[in-house]
Structure formats: C-alpha cells, structure tokens
Amino acid sequence: MIEVKGLRKSFTLGKRRKTRTVEAVRGVDLSVAEGEIFGFLGPNGAGKTTTARILCTLLEPDDGHAVIAGADLRKDPAAVRTKVGYVPQGGTTTDEVTAREELVLQARMYGMHKTEAVQRTEEALASFELTEFADRQCRTYSGGQRRRVDIAMGIIHRPKVLFLDEPTTGLDPQSRAHLWDEVRRLRDAGMTVFLTTHYLEEADALCDRIAIIDHGEIVALGTPTELKHGVAGDVVTVGLNGDGPRAAELLTGRDYVHNLELGDDGLRLYVDDGATAMPQIMRALDGGDIHFDTVELHRPSLDDVFLIKTGRSLRDK
Amino acid sequence: MKFLRDTWLVYTRQLLLVWRTPARLVIGFLQPIAYLLLFAPLLKNALASAGARTYADAYRIYVPGLLVVLVLLSGFFAGFQLLGELRSGVIERSRVTPVSRTALILGRAFSEVTTLMGQAVVITIVALPFGLTVEIGWVLLAYVMLALMALMACALSYAMAMLIPSPAALGPLINSVSQPLSLLSGVLLPLTLAPGWLVTIAEWNPIYWTTNGTRALFTGNPGDTSVWLGMLIVVALAALTVTWATRMFARQVR
Ligand SMILES: Nc1ncnc2c1ncn2[C@@H]1O[C@H](COP(=O)(O)OP(=O)(O)OP(=O)(O)O)[C@@H](O)[C@H]1O
Ligand SMILES: [Mg+2]
C-alpha cells in the first residue's frame, strides 16, 4: 500500500552567511501492507513529521521514490491526495466553528457536492461519537473530542491510507485508549494506517509493525514481538542507591554483560541468560562492597530495542 | 468552474470566521470612526483653501481619504493573518485536499475585501448625519475603486508575507511600503495644500491617483482625469499583485 525507497529531505536554516543544513530524513526505505497499522516510533526531531508530510504531498522530497495506493508521489501528487488522509500533529480545528461545519467544509474541499458532504459528515459524526456536540463551537471541546474531529476530517473522503501524526500526544489515558479503539476500527474496516508516535506503549499495543527512526534513519523495523526478540537475551535491572557509577565501572567488561546502561536509579544490564547472569552480578557487586536494593529480570522492551540501536533511551524525555 | 467553486468555499468560510469574531471587526472600526468624529470637524477651516466652504464639503474631501487609508492599511496587514494560518496548520489541512491552490489565497483576499467594504459603507453612513452628501451612483463607483485598492493591498501583503515569512520582519517591511505610499497620496489632506515639488513626486505614486479619483467621485466630479486614470491604474495594479501573490503562494505551498 505504501512503498518508499531512499526518501531524503533536508532543510536549510538561517540567513545568507550562517546557513545550517538539517538532514531531517536521510534515506528512508519502508513498505506498508494493506490493512495494517504501521507505527513510526522515534524521539523529538527524528524526522517522523517530515516523512509523513512528504508522503502526504505537503513537502517535496529531495530524493527518493514513493508509491502510495498505486499512485506515484512525484509523478502524480494529485492522485495521491485523493487516496490519503492526513491528520497533522497539532490538530487543525478552528475555535469559532462547529465540528459539523468543519467536516462539511473538508468534505467539500475534496470535491463533494453539498448533499453528499452533509451525509458523509453525519456518518462521520455518528461513528466518532461526536453527534452530541456537533453544533457547539470547537473551542468548547476537550482535547480528546478535538482529536476525534481531526481524525474524522482526515477520513471524510474515505481514503485508502490514513496518516496520523502523534494522534494521542497530550491525551489522558482514557481518551488515548478510546482513540486506539477508533484506529483499530478503521483498520478493521480495511484502511491502512500510518501513525507516528514517541510513546513506546502506543507502538507496542496498537501497531502491527513498527519502524524505529532516529536522526532521519530507520534503525529497526518489524513487528513489536520481532523487535523485542531481536534483542538477544534478557535484561537485568539493579536498583542502586547512588552507587551507580561505581557499580557500572565494576561490571563493565565482564564477559556475561553485553551492554550496560546507567540510569538515575540504577543499572540496566543486557545479558545472554538472566538465570546464570543474575547470581554472577550479585556476587560481583557484593565483592565490590556495593549495596543494592533490588535485582530484577525482564524480557526486553521496545525501549531496550531503541537503546541498543541508538545508544539512548526513549523514555528519559 | 472548480476554481470558482473552490474560491467560493474558502471565501464563505473566511467570512463565517469574521462573523464569529465580531471583536476584530469592531476594533477595525474604532479608529476610522474616532477620526471621523474627533478630527474631521477641524477640517472645515483647514480645508478652506481646498475649496471647502461647508461641513459637507469638508466631509466630502475627508471621508474618501479616510476610506483609502482604511482599505490600504488594513489590507496591508492581511499578510500577518496568512502567516498565522500557515503556521497553525489550517492551510495545511486544505492542502492535502485537491482544492485549488489559487482559490485558497483568492478566497481569503476576497473575504478581506468584503469585510473592508462593509466597514467602508458603515463609515460612510456614520458620516451622513454630519453633513456628508453624496450621489449614490458615483459613490458606488468609488467603492469599486476602493475594493480594487483593498484587493491590491491584500495581494501585495500576501506576496510580501511569502517573501519574508517572519512576522517580526514583515512588520517593518510593510510599514516602509505603506508609509510613503499613503503620505505621498494625500489621503488625510489633499495635496492641493502641498508645495509644488511634493505634488511632482506624488504624481509618480499610483495611490495619489486612486485617492484623488475616489475623492472626485465623492465630490461628484466623475469627469475628473483622476477618475479614469485612477481606475486604470488600480485595475492594472490589482491584476499584477494578485498574479504575483498567487504565484508566490503556489510556489511556497506546492
Ligand atoms: N520547515 C522546517 N524548516 C526547518 N527545519 C525543519 C522544518 N521541519 C522540520 N525541521 C527539522 O527537521 C528535523 C525533523 O523534524 P520532524 O518535525 O520531522 O521531527 P519529528 O520526528 O516529527 O519530531 P516531534 O516528535 O518533535 O514531532 C528537526 O530537526 C526539525 O528541526
Ligand atoms: Mg512531529
């Protein structure tokens, strides 16, 4: 449904003399199947929005090719527009108008006649549970309600592919769960959903497949389970009281520790086999006279995948 | 056909927004009305040399100038709103649809023009009890001229906003264009009061002709050279600036 090859985009900032080039997207390749929820996971500034905007025809790529729902992005952007829906990161509802007015306008911008636009609006309002306040000005809506209006606008023309840029940022857990259900419902109705997020839970729970993007490059791609299994072995976390740096020094270079990450409240150790590594770790710490509070064994999470691939944690933001 | 329909869509939406935010509309009025009430009465004597013998004469000279200031200055500020809408994503949302790009900018410009003309009509009506007397036919023609000036100012402002998409830098640029244009056109006081050299410079300013034309129509001298010349100039300028603005916009937003 979406085929992307070698996508690149850089921005030039600053005035004549002091120009600086930001390479926002640096050769992205990906392929999204019909009817899947594809997650684009990455930290701030990774290039998620830029990629989504390119694929929705809003930005021209510097290089690369993409075919979306059979339409070539560069040769026929007009065809792409009729096949994709886009819900931008910030949302775009206008305070002074009602949800109904927004939806009718959006439908008409897609070229629908008035009667058809009104009817589609009615359907969209009902399916996103917006009918109740459809005639109130958008300024009176909650964050979750606004977001639902945004998404309803994005699908008013029944696109084959929907791009959602950080759909749940700033929502409370309940609205987020509600929105996830909406997105799943769209997928079950046959829509392909491309969503960006910097929430690990969201990528894990909602997405069928994930690409992890960092500094404009995809560093990992697969189903959440594949990605987690791709991290060899187990994770051992050790809760330490301020002795972190000393413990890290002590454990660095031991053959049963592949990788080690020092956090605020302790250490995260990547090991082949947790059952044999745990006693060794405890013995080493005892030997170094380091007091520890807890030692726990985990299966790797998406954050661990991110950490291994980029050397940074996504969570500490 | 599609282009006209799309322009209509954008136009009606923008007007709806104006209608729903009456505060902005009122603020747009306050200054011209204040000038009308507090400044214009001084003018009977001041404008004596320009041929004003009565209050009606003074208002016929002053009101058209005030309207020119209104449409030019408000029109010049349209670019700021466009920048705001480009930033907030309102335009982005339209750009993912197949809607005509030219319609996105023309619909906005037309809505600005309509709002300004509404204000111009109200100001004219407010001036009537003070003794402004006009001939309706010629005043309607004057409104056409004002509307074209408003369109020109909007389009120029949009084009400049595309050129310099930062509100902080756009302000000074707009001022540096609008200040000399309005000073050298005799909008507040007619340049018949000015020394010869100033008039010579002003004759190179297109706004000088359109201002004089508007004034001639208000005072009931439709045969004045400035009427047809001003009309010719403003039609040409409006066409030019609108073309420039739509080109710049299409390039910017693809
Ligand atoms: N219009 C632009 N002009 C200049 N630089 C830009 C522009 N848009 C994005 N960038 C830069 O490109 C990089 C990628 O930005 P992008 O918005 O794609 O990140 P993101 O992954 O969506 O981040 P976030 O999670 O914060 O939304 C950033 O360094 C950003 O500063
Ligand atoms: Mg983003």
Side-chain angles (χ1 to χ4, degrees):
Chain A
M1 190 55 49
I2 306 178
E3 293 292 336
V4 179
K5 206 127 208 82
L7 205 64
R8 287 183 174 276
K9 178 79 193 173
S10 54
F11 297 101
T12 311
L13 298 170
K15 296 262 164 61
R16 252 146 256 145
R17 236 164 292 151
K18 283 181 281 176
T19 51
R20 196 166 62 85
T21 305
V22 181
E23 291 186 68
V25 179
R26 305 193 293 175
V28 162
D29 299 326
L30 55 86
S31 133
V32 179
E34 181 161 5
E36 80 176 336
I37 301 179
F38 185 83
F40 220 38
L41 176 70
N44 289 133
K48 305 184 293 292
T49 300
T50 307
T51 307
R53 293 184 65 210
I54 292 173
L55 297 180
C56 295
T57 74
L58 290 171
L59 276 178
E60 200 156 7
D62 296 338
D63 198 10
H65 296 280
V67 177
I68 299 157
D72 188 294
L73 183 68
R74 293 197 117 156
K75 293 198 192 101
D76 197 359
V80 174
R81 278 182 202 122
T82 61
K83 290 177 179 173
V84 306
Y86 175 56
V87 180
Q89 185 165 356
T92 54
T93 49
T94 310
D95 279 348
E96 293 82 15
V97 296
T98 68
R100 191 187 303 278
E101 287 163 342
E102 287 286 40
L103 288 167
V104 170
L105 177 71
Q106 195 70 3
R108 301 213 64 202
M109 291 230 175
Y110 275 107
M112 284 177 231
H113 284 290
K114 197 157 195 174
T115 40
E116 194 187 2
V118 168
Q119 192 199 331
R120 288 275 182 96
T121 297
E122 219 51 65
E123 289 166 18
L125 288 171
S127 83
F128 284 90
E129 296 171 35
L130 291 162
T131 312
E132 200 184 317
F133 35 84
D135 294 309
R136 257 165 43 191
Q137 293 190 10
C138 290
R139 73 164 98 240
T140 64
Y141 296 175
S142 73
Q145 291 166 341
R146 254 179 198 259
R147 216 60 190 129
R148 268 145 58 205
V149 179
D150 287 330
I151 296 179
M153 282 199 282
I155 56 131
I156 196 82
H157 57 303
R158 303 197 184 129
K160 286 195 169 328
V161 183
L162 178 64
F163 289 87
L164 292 172
D165 199 358
E166 307 213 1
T168 65
T169 299
L171 296 188
D172 57 83
Q174 196 192 341
S175 311
R176 176 170 302 158
H178 189 104
L179 213 87
W180 287 358
D181 286 339
E182 305 279 5
V183 174
R184 289 190 187 106
R185 205 165 46 77
L186 292 173
R187 175 204 42 202
D188 296 344
M191 204 176 278
T192 306
V193 180
F194 181 108
L195 76 86
T196 78
T197 182
H198 59 248
Y199 293 121
L200 297 157
E201 303 76 20
E202 185 158 285
D204 210 346
L206 181 61
C207 300
D208 300 319
R209 277 192 324 130
I210 303 170
I212 296 181
I213 181 168
D214 188 37
H215 295 310
E217 284 173 312
I218 291 185
V219 294
L221 199 146
T223 67
T225 326
E226 278 168 9
L227 288 178
K228 286 183 280 192
H229 283 168
V231 177
D234 296 316
V235 181
V236 177
T237 57
V238 184
L240 292 157
N241 260 330
D243 269 345
R246 220 152 58 78
E249 199 180 320
L250 190 73
L251 291 169
T252 306
R254 305 259 169 170
D255 53 4
Y256 49 86
V257 177
H258 293 304
N259 216 326
L260 171 155
E261 190 71 18
L262 179 61
D264 289 340
D265 48 0
L267 280 180
R268 236 177 142 74
L269 304 156
Y270 296 87
V271 299
D272 277 330
D273 178 19
T276 57
M278 258 172 61
Q280 289 175 292
I281 290 166
M282 296 201 285
R283 230 173 294 135
L285 289 174
D286 268 339
D289 208 17
I290 293 169
H291 178 75
F292 52 87
D293 299 330
T294 55
V295 176
E296 285 172 52
L297 181 64
H298 305 273
R299 295 290 312 141
S301 69
L302 277 182
D303 193 31
D304 297 316
V305 178
F306 191 81
L307 194 78
I308 300 267
K309 299 284 182 185
T310 68
R312 286 174 295 124
S313 169
L314 194 52
R315 217 177 271 282
D316 298 338
K317 289 275 162 68
Chain B
M1 230 11 248
K2 173 178 184 302
F3 160 70
L4 289 182
R5 169 193 177 275
D6 287 352
T7 307
W8 176 253
L9 273 183
V10 176
Y11 173 72
T12 46
R13 159 48 67 95
Q14 293 304 110
L15 277 188
L16 179 69
L17 288 180
V18 174
W19 183 248
R20 296 261 168 94
T21 41
R24 243 185 53 207
L25 214 53
V26 172
I27 290 168
F29 271 127
L30 285 180
Q31 209 178 1
I33 299 271
Y35 269 86
L36 197 62
L37 299 184
L38 304 177
F39 183 63
L42 307 177
L43 292 178
K44 193 182 87 167
N45 296 332
L47 290 179
S49 62
R53 273 177 297 279
T54 61
Y55 276 111
D57 285 341
Y59 273 90
R60 273 191 206 148
I61 293 171
Y62 184 67
V63 171
L66 190 66
L67 296 182
V68 172
V69 176
L70 171 78
V71 300
L72 281 187
L73 291 193
S74 309
F76 274 133
F77 276 85
F80 285 99
Q81 199 180 340
L82 186 70
L83 281 188
E85 287 180 311
L86 279 171
R87 257 159 221 228
S88 72
V90 181
I91 291 181
E92 193 136 291
R93 171 185 129 197
S94 316
R95 282 176 50 215
V96 289
T97 75
V99 75
S100 149
R101 282 13 187 185
T102 310
L104 287 180
I105 189 141
L106 273 190
R108 283 181 162 75
F110 290 155
S111 128
E112 295 279 348
V113 171
T114 306
T115 313
L116 287 173
M117 293 325 291
Q119 294 181 334
V121 170
V122 172
I123 288 167
T124 314
I125 290 171
V126 170
L128 289 178
F130 292 93
L132 175 72
T133 52
V134 290
E135 249 175 274
I136 192 81
W138 298 127
V139 165
L140 287 182
L141 196 58
Y143 284 152
V144 173
M145 194 124 109
L146 285 165
L148 286 166
M149 272 188 263
L151 184 62
M152 178 207 76
C154 270
L156 195 59
S157 178
Y158 287 157
M160 288 195 285
M162 296 289 112
L163 211 56
I164 305 191
S166 130
L170 186 61
L173 177 70
I174 284 180
N175 271 335
S176 64
V177 174
S178 64
Q179 281 271 358
L181 275 187
S182 42
L183 278 181
L184 280 176
S185 64
V187 277
L188 292 178
L189 298 174
L191 289 180
T192 40
L193 306 171
W197 61 268
L198 196 56
V199 178
T200 314
I201 300 177
E203 278 171 355
W204 288 95
N205 174 9
I207 307 300
Y208 169 77
W209 295 102
T210 58
T211 307
N212 281 355
T214 313
R215 206 167 258 151
L217 287 167
F218 263 77
T219 44
N221 292 323
D224 198 281
T225 324
S226 61
V227 174
W228 66 264
L229 192 56
M231 201 55 107
L232 209 66
I233 288 174
V234 78
V235 167
L237 283 180
L240 214 65
T241 50
V242 166
T243 313
W244 188 30
T246 48
R247 285 254 175 98
M248 294 284 292
F249 185 74
R251 182 149 11 121
Q252 173 103 0
V253 304
R254 153 181 162 86

